[in-house]
DNA sequence: GGATGTGAATGCATTCACAGCA
DNA sequence: TGCTGTGAATGCATTCACATCC
């Protein structure tokens, strides 16, 4: 594998990278200095070979006979994921979920900073929610430019979500995390991830009904 | 493929099943009576062959020359996912995220009913949050038995989550949706799904940094 | 001895392409 | 003609197993 061609990395490997990082940070907090692929894998229910191959897609970070230096690997994985720099993030939707997202701690520790909150309801605009003043969608472009925001979270009702997504993309947003229960359409060059509570629960429902088709954690 | 051996269904197919259902329900609301695999696939960015194969893992639901009858297919997919019956669900954690989950609508419409909320903070127990009275974890088993609850959502801080998970499993819970940012360990026979906001954002960060390694929606 | 990194082998999932039915 | 369901072919991802290095 050639680390100069990151586009050839299996997608599941990138998803696991985040889990490795989370686990490594926990190990570091416990004072752990080095860790083997076997131990890291075990803590996540993965094989040692899987861990080694995933990491090797991006470079040679380990030391034969020793394992991986925890601090080192944390720094490397952050660099790969792009979270060694701070990302400014905006949120659209100041409803129940939006408020939960506003008060989510341990967001900053991961390299993300929520810097602006928008809502389409004029009666909310200008009001304060915790440390945030709700802004009007008319100011989208200006705020995005001012804070150099590239990532956005959408926490609005399903029937408003596509319109919001369009406006965000139009205003220069490059990545979207969608919490509304529908499939958004965005241009190919915009990254899109989705979290749908009902979908998650349906998966549980299926798994509990079908004791045979056991699945690993997503 | 033999529908009498559902354990041999690819996991990704099951995840897509939920998306098909969501899309089908939207088509039904718009008055659509039948739909082809091509149309259903297009609405989700999938190929027609993918849609047909996924559905065929579970039976023969389509009509050559016609497509799928929307209402029919909705009923079938709900049956497969197990959401043709109501699932009683409990929540542990009445913090910011917990409150957002309590007030999440469109939960009932999907076949899930939140029937109890727990918190380990004694000062919260007995207090009302919307329609819910926060209960003590000491009453876990009793409440689970009384309402025949099999699914639970965990929305507590990371350092409390494993203990909560253990107690839920011990008390008879069969499926867990974990919102805490750590990897829970549960017995093999317990279904586990996880939603980690930071992980989602890290994936966006990676994708936006790497314009070549484009991914489809999760 | 204890660990990594990695080709080769295996196993899964997706896509192709077409027979068959309405 | 229009569409499904499905074997066969392809393409991805995981696992194996071992040369290599501390």
């Amino acid at each position: 594998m050639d680390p100069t061609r990151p586009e050839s990395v299996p997608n599941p490997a990138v998803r696991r990278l985040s889990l490795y990082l989370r686990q490594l940070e926990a190990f570091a907090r416990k004072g752990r200095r080095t860790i083997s692929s076997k131990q890291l894998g075990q803590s996540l229910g993965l094989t040692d070979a899987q861990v080694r191959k995933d990491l090797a897609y991006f470079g040679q970070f380990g030391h034969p006979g020793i394992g991986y230096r925890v601090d080192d690997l944390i720094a490397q994985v952050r660099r790969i994921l792009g979270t060694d720099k701070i990302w400014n993030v905006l949120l659209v939707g100041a409803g129940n979920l939006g408020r939960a997202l506003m008060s989510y701690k341990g967001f900053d520790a991961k390299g993300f900073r929520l810097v602006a909150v928008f809502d389409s309801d004029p009666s909310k605009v200008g009001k304060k929610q915790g440390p945030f003043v709700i802004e009007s969608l008319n100011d989208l472009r200006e705020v995005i430019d001012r804070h150099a925001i590239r990532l956005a979270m959408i926490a609005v009702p399903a029937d408003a979500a596509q319109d919001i997504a369009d406006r965000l993309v139009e205003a220069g947003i490059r990545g979207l995390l969608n919490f509304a229960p529908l499939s958004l359409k965005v241009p190919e060059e915009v990254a899109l991830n989705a979290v749908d509570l009902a979908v998650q629960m349906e998966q549980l429902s299926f798994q509990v009904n079908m004791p045979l088709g056991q699945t690993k954690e997503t």
Side-chain angles (χ1 to χ4, degrees), chain A:
Chain A
M1 178 52 48
D2 176 0
T4 63
R5 291 172 53 215
E7 69 273 21
S8 67
V9 173
N11 245 282
V14 178
R15 270 183 263 128
R16 284 189 296 266
L17 221 45
S18 283
L19 303 184
Y20 297 152
L21 177 56
R22 197 177 64 184
Q23 212 63 21
L24 287 165
E25 287 166 342
F27 278 117
R29 279 195 297 275
K30 286 193 277 185
R32 194 67 188 273
R33 309 300 300 276
T34 73
I35 190 162
S36 68
S37 58
K38 183 154 191 201
Q39 295 166 318
L40 182 50
Q42 247 163 11
S43 74
L44 286 161
L46 304 170
T47 67
D48 53 336
Q50 179 85 82
V51 173
R52 287 200 301 279
K53 184 140 291 221
D54 285 347
L55 296 174
Y57 284 123
F58 300 97
Q60 309 201 154
F61 307 132
H63 306 277
I66 306 295
Y68 301 86
R69 290 200 29 226
V70 173
D71 292 351
D72 249 35
L73 191 51
I74 288 176
Q76 294 287 355
V77 174
R78 281 189 185 144
R79 182 183 51 74
I80 295 162
L81 290 174
T83 56
D84 50 342
K85 308 284 192 317
I86 303 282
W87 291 84
N88 285 341
V89 178
L90 70 79
L91 164 68
V92 184
N96 291 304
L97 177 57
R99 280 192 295 275
L101 293 172
M102 288 181 229
S103 51
Y104 182 61
K105 318 297 179 199
F107 197 57
D108 296 44
K110 283 286 186 170
F112 300 97
R113 186 188 292 144
L114 184 56
V115 296
V117 179
F118 297 82
D119 200 291
S120 61
D121 180 350
S123 77
K124 284 184 181 166
V125 171
K127 296 259 167 64
K128 231 176 168 197
Q129 278 289 340
F132 300 99
V133 177
I134 310 301
E135 317 206 38
S136 160
L137 286 164
N138 295 327
D139 302 334
L140 213 43
R141 167 112 42 177
E142 183 216 325
V143 174
I144 286 174
D145 289 347
R146 181 154 34 115
H147 293 102
I149 302 173
R150 278 185 289 173
L151 303 180
M153 302 187 287
I154 298 183
V156 303
D159 56 11
Q162 183 63 61
D163 175 57
I164 298 291
D166 293 344
R167 296 173 71 170
L168 288 170
V169 169
E170 166 68 20
I173 288 293
R174 308 297 321 280
L176 287 175
L177 181 51
N178 176 36
F179 291 91
L182 84 168
S183 270
L184 294 178
K185 304 286 181 206
V186 297
E188 202 177 11
E189 71 275 13
V190 175
L192 175 62
N193 275 49
V195 173
D196 185 330
L197 175 60
V199 165
Q200 295 292 326
M201 293 302 295
E202 280 169 356
Q203 297 297 304
L204 282 185
S205 164
F206 178 85
Q207 293 167 234
V208 169
N209 261 359
M210 307 265 124
L212 296 173
Q214 287 294 326
T215 3
K216 289 283 161 215
E217 176 176 350
T218 324

